[in-house]
Amino acid sequence: AGMNISESAGVDKNTLIGMMHNISVGGNQMLKVTGDVFENIDGDLHSEVKKDRNTVGHSGFVSQSESTEFHSNNDIQNNSTENTTQN
């Protein structure tokens, strides 16, 4: 199919798939949304990340990893299943 394939829709694009939709990306994948993102999942959601997972929003930052060092000028909420040490 060549090197690049581009798709463009002026207003809306809808895709309906009956059973399974697989996407394999050999390099990086980027999703840029200028509006809201809505997810509706009737079954389970399985997600695996081999490195850290970071979620950044205007009101806060969430990071999931085996160990984290975090500095803040405001309050810190710590949710951990292991013992927590403070320096």
Side-chain angles (χ1 to χ4, degrees), residues 58-83:
H58 289 289
S59 64
F61 173 80
V62 176
S63 178
Q64 294 174 318
S65 64
E66 288 187 28
S67 64
T68 301
E69 182 176 329
F70 188 79
H71 303 275
S72 175
N73 292 331
N74 296 317
D75 295 337
I76 297 175
Q77 179 181 346
N78 184 25
N79 300 323
S80 176
T81 58
E82 297 294 324
N83 294 333

Side-chain angles (χ1 to χ4, degrees), residues 19-70:
M19 290 293 288
M20 175 82 82
H21 183 209
N22 290 316
I23 298 173
S24 295
V25 179
N28 296 332
Q29 179 178 350
M30 183 181 86
L31 172 66
K32 180 179 180 182
V33 178
T34 57
D36 295 333
V37 174
F38 298 96
E39 286 184 314
N40 183 1
I41 300 169
D42 290 334
D44 294 334
L45 174 64
H46 301 277
S47 179
E48 179 180 335
V49 178
K50 293 189 183 213
K51 294 185 179 180
D52 293 343
R53 173 179 295 201
N54 299 316
T55 303
V56 179
H58 289 289
S59 64
F61 173 80
V62 176
S63 178
Q64 294 174 318
S65 64
E66 288 187 28
S67 64
T68 301
E69 182 176 329
F70 188 79

